[in-house]
Amino acid sequence: MKNSQTPENPARIRAQQVHALARLMPPLMIVNLVNAGTLVVVLYGTDQLTPTIAAWSVVLGFLSVRILVKAHAGRLENAPEAVSKRAVNRVVRSAALFGAVWAFPSMFVLPSVSGWSQVFAAALMTGMICGGAIALYPIPLAAVVYSGLVTAGALLGMWFAGNAATIGLTIIAASFFYIFYEVIQRHAQLFVSEFVARLDLEESHKSVARLLLETRSEATEEKKRSERRLADAQKMEAIGQLTGGIAHDFNNLLAVIQGNAELLEQLELGKESHPITSAIRHATGRGAELTQRLLAFSRKQSLRPKAINMRDLISDMSDPLQRMLGETIVVATRSHNSSWNALADPGQVEAALLNLGINARDAMPDGGKLTIECADVTLDEDNSVDGADITAGDYVVLSVTDQGVGMSEEIREHAFEPFFTTKGVGKGSGLGLSMVYGFAQQSGGQATIYTEEGQGTTVKLYLPRAFSEINREAVPKEEAVPRGNGETILVIEDDPDVRKLAEIMLGNLGYRVIGVEDAKAAQRHVSAKGEIALVLSDVVLPGGQSGPEFADELKTARPEVKVIFMSGYPTEAAKRNGFLGSDSVLLNKPFRVAQLARAVKEALA
């Protein structure tokens, strides 16, 4: 068996010692009474009893009986866990009292008697010194006090008489005094060491407790922050899915409106119709811009990322921004901490700068300074910037800082949400910051806001570093709208208005058109009409089979038939969601007649 021992508590040990001494008090008092009575009897039998010795025996008897009664009344069966300092001092006082009482025979009895009475007194005094000191050993101070007083009495007796008995008693008493003096010195040293160690241990316990409390508090706060970030991410994801779906359906409506406006222009109804069709096309253009912002927030817009020299871009944008913001706002640009290129869509970066500039102008109605900076940053595995999660890596950070009114914490938490705005009715759509946020997220980066009320706002775009060189692309020349030569095109679109519009557009371009609403109807026409040259299909179709799934079956059976997709979901989003392959062609709704004509001509070439 394993022998385990529990370390003793010093306070409990002291309590046990005092308790044992208290239980020993009755027999000690009885010994006092017996020894004093025996001494009186011996002296009386040898005719050496004096009134002084008789008085001493009465005092000793009174004290002994009194302590006997008190010990009997306050007797404890079990030792307490600890004793008070007062209880220890009471034991020391009792030891001093009895030490003074037994010093009396050392001074007067032993030197004044003779014969066998002196021998008996010497033996009795020796026994009282030894027995009393040993009995008081658990409390060394009490033992020293007792033996010290008896020793002092023996020294005085030796000084008065100088006989052999008093000398021997003095030597014995002094020896015990020396022993217990050494004991109490050692005990005091141990006590001090123990006291210091206990203080150190208590301080260590307090430090550990404080550390645990701080760690627990930090862990709780970090958990709350993580939960808030998760809730914000889930909320933004849900809003993004909703806005992406709205933008998709809205693009179908815009495609019909814009397409019919173009068809009206082609009919040449007269100059009076041009303002009407122009207004329609202008409104659809604004609608297309609105859906583009919605798609930017929901990270479903079509991006063309490439290496950008951010220093050149903000330098080129400073003059247009200055003219747009007015003379009351000073535009300052800094790029001395940046040498990397960013991987992003330059058009979207410019749009983000314009949106942030407009927000800054509205935040500084009395004018101020707008600072645009770019810097290179390497993020480690901490994956957090201003409370927002981001993948570790190299980033080019575009910062836009104003000296405006700033935002409250409540407003800042909602600033990236679409249609959230603090501007008056008709003064803002609430899509500027949401577009910036969605663009940064879709580009593989992050957007953050740091703001203080009355101090201004800083919006930062973290765009991934580009490791490729910048390619200078030539601007394509404007070409005439290409026309067809009677080729047959199968249009698959579940929205009847969009399908009818596509049929009219393609018919006016010189193609023969067949329109169906789903993949099953398209399959029947492909089987029956062998002359079909191209399929123009929506990505999402009813009936359980999507446009890309139908195209995969068609390429297996009829590899010569070309396929073009059209959708309210832009190219990058459709590819990311697995709708299209990397070589697929997709027209983003709403599209112009010229865009449709060029896409069809290139596919049939």
Side-chain angles (χ1 to χ4, degrees):
M1 293 179 61
K2 184 178 179 180
N3 184 18
S4 61
Q5 294 182 351
T6 303
E8 291 285 355
N9 185 348
R12 180 171 173 78
I13 293 174
R14 176 63 59 85
Q16 290 173 344
Q17 291 173 340
V18 174
H19 179 66
L21 188 58
R23 291 175 65 86
L24 190 62
M25 274 298 171
L28 287 176
M29 295 304 102
I30 293 174
V31 168
N32 271 329
L33 290 172
V34 171
N35 288 342
T38 304
L39 180 61
V40 170
V41 170
V42 169
L43 294 178
Y44 179 79
T46 58
D47 296 326
Q48 299 184 63
L49 179 64
T50 64
T52 304
I53 296 174
W56 168 80
S57 63
V58 172
V59 172
L60 180 60
F62 172 76
L63 293 174
S64 299
V65 171
R66 185 171 179 271
I67 291 176
L68 270 172
V69 173
K70 290 184 66 175
H72 180 74
R75 184 173 181 178
L76 294 175
E77 295 297 332
N78 298 317
E81 291 296 324
V83 293
S84 64
K85 186 177 180 181
R86 181 180 177 184
V88 175
N89 290 337
R90 189 163 58 245
V91 173
V92 174
R93 287 197 302 270
S94 297
L97 178 62
F98 281 97
V101 171
W102 281 104
F104 179 81
S106 301
M107 289 187 293
F108 300 107
V109 176
L110 195 60
S112 62
V113 298
S114 59
W116 287 105
S117 295
Q118 190 180 53
V119 173
F120 173 78
L124 178 62
M125 293 301 303
T126 302
M128 291 305 298
I129 293 172
C130 298
I134 293 173
L136 293 171
Y137 174 78
I139 303 178
L141 180 60
V144 168
V145 170
Y146 176 81
S147 60
L149 288 173
V150 177
T151 301
L155 286 171
L156 289 174
M158 183 182 68
W159 179 264
F160 293 149
N163 53 32
T166 56
I167 293 172
L169 181 62
T170 302
I171 293 173
I172 293 172
S175 299
F176 271 93
F177 176 76
Y178 174 75
I179 290 171
F180 286 110
Y181 177 76
E182 288 295 319
V183 168
I184 197 171
Q185 268 197 324
R186 300 285 179 87
H187 183 81
Q189 292 174 359
L190 292 174
F191 176 77
V192 171
S193 300
E194 176 189 330
F195 180 73
V196 172
R198 186 178 300 172
L199 288 180
D200 292 342
L201 184 60
E202 289 177 357
E203 188 62 31
S204 299
H205 286 167
K206 290 179 181 178
S207 300
V208 171
R210 285 196 300 268
L211 182 60
L212 288 175
L213 183 61
E214 293 173 0
T215 304
R216 189 180 297 111
S217 177
E218 291 177 0
T220 302
E221 288 299 320
E222 182 60 29
K223 181 182 178 182
K224 290 180 180 178
R225 286 193 293 268
S226 299
E227 289 175 348
R228 284 197 297 269
R229 288 198 294 266
L230 178 61
D232 290 342
Q234 290 174 339
K235 178 181 67 176
M236 299 296 267
E237 185 67 25
I239 295 175
Q241 292 177 356
L242 175 62
T243 54
I246 292 173
H248 172 262
D249 292 338
F250 196 42
N251 276 333
N252 281 341
L253 300 175
L254 291 175
V256 174
I257 297 171
Q258 179 178 283
N260 281 287
E262 286 194 87
L263 292 177
L264 286 174
E265 287 183 339
Q266 293 175 5
L267 292 177
E268 298 182 356
L269 298 177
K271 291 184 179 181
E272 64 276 3
S273 66
H274 286 299
I276 298 174
T277 56
S278 177
I280 294 173
R281 286 192 295 104
H282 178 69
T284 55
R286 292 185 61 187
E289 181 183 351
L290 177 63
T291 58
Q292 186 69 13
R293 291 187 176 188
L294 289 172
L295 289 167
F297 169 75
S298 61
R299 290 168 280 171
K300 293 182 174 66
Q301 66 177 333
S302 179
L303 295 181
R304 295 176 177 83
K306 60 182 181 181
I308 308 172
N309 187 320
M310 197 65 72
R311 303 176 300 283
D312 293 344
L313 187 144
I314 63 174
S315 177
D316 294 341
M317 286 290 293
S318 61
D319 288 340
L321 270 175
Q322 185 67 75
R323 290 192 296 271
M324 181 186 72
L325 300 180
E327 296 179 355
T328 60
I329 295 177
V330 178
V331 178
T333 60
R334 301 174 186 169
S335 58
H336 55 275
N337 292 327
S338 177
S339 60
W340 298 342
N341 296 325
L343 182 63
D345 188 322
Q348 294 298 330
V349 176
E350 293 175 358
L353 275 176
L354 290 173
N355 277 293
L356 295 175
I358 293 171
N359 283 349
R361 180 192 63 189
D362 295 339
M364 298 186 291
D366 299 326
K369 184 178 181 180
L370 178 68
T371 305
I372 305 173
E373 301 178 77
C374 62
D376 303 334
V377 174
T378 298
L379 300 178
D380 56 18
E381 288 75 12
D382 185 27
N383 297 341
S384 178
V385 287
D386 295 335
D389 292 333
I390 186 171
T391 305
D394 295 336
Y395 293 88
V396 178
V397 183
L398 180 63
S399 304
V400 179
T401 304
D402 64 55
Q403 298 175 331
V405 295
M407 308 178 193
S408 66
E409 181 62 23
E410 181 180 1
I411 293 176
R412 188 197 67 80
E413 290 179 355
H414 298 281
F416 283 140
E417 296 177 8
F419 304 114
F420 177 83
T421 180
T422 56
K423 301 175 184 177
V425 178
K427 295 185 178 180
S429 64
L431 287 173
L433 285 177
S434 65
M435 184 276 288
V436 172
Y437 173 82
F439 160 64
Q441 292 263 315
Q442 190 177 352
S443 299
Q446 185 60 274
T448 64
I449 296 178
Y450 177 79
T451 182
E452 292 184 15
E453 290 189 86
Q455 300 297 320
T457 301
T458 298
V459 179
K460 292 184 178 182
L461 271 71
Y462 289 79
L463 300 174
R465 177 186 179 184
F467 293 93
S468 59
E469 296 296 328
I470 297 177
N471 294 325
R472 306 293 180 181
E473 298 179 354
V475 179
K477 296 181 179 179
E478 188 69 26
E479 298 179 357
V481 177
R483 300 181 61 81
N485 296 313
E487 295 93 336
T488 301
I489 297 178
L490 177 63
V491 176
I492 312 174
E493 170 62 60
D494 60 308
D495 189 312
D497 294 331
V498 178
R499 183 171 68 248
K500 186 64 177 178
L501 175 65
E503 291 176 7
I504 296 174
M505 283 182 172
L506 291 171
N508 291 342
L509 290 172
Y511 297 101
R512 180 172 176 268
V513 186
I514 302 171
V516 295
E517 65 177 353
D518 56 28
K520 291 183 179 179
Q523 187 62 50
R524 290 195 297 270
H525 281 281
V526 170
S527 301
K529 306 288 185 180
E531 69 277 10
I532 292 176
L534 182 140
V535 173
L536 176 63
S537 174
D538 194 9
V539 172
V540 180
L541 296 174
Q545 189 175 32
S546 66
E549 291 171 346
F550 169 76
D552 290 339
E553 291 184 1
L554 180 63
K555 288 179 181 179
T556 302
R558 300 281 299 276
E560 74 280 2
V561 178
K562 308 299 183 181
V563 180
I564 297 177
F565 295 103
M566 55 181 174
S567 178
Y569 288 106
T571 309
E572 294 301 321
K575 289 178 179 179
R576 187 173 62 251
N577 293 333
F579 292 158
L580 306 176
S582 59
D583 58 345
S584 300
V585 178
L586 184 141
L587 286 173
N588 298 326
K589 299 175 184 176
F591 47 80
R592 304 289 298 272
V593 173
Q595 292 174 300
L596 176 63
R598 282 192 288 269
V600 172
K601 196 66 177 179
E602 290 175 4
L604 292 175

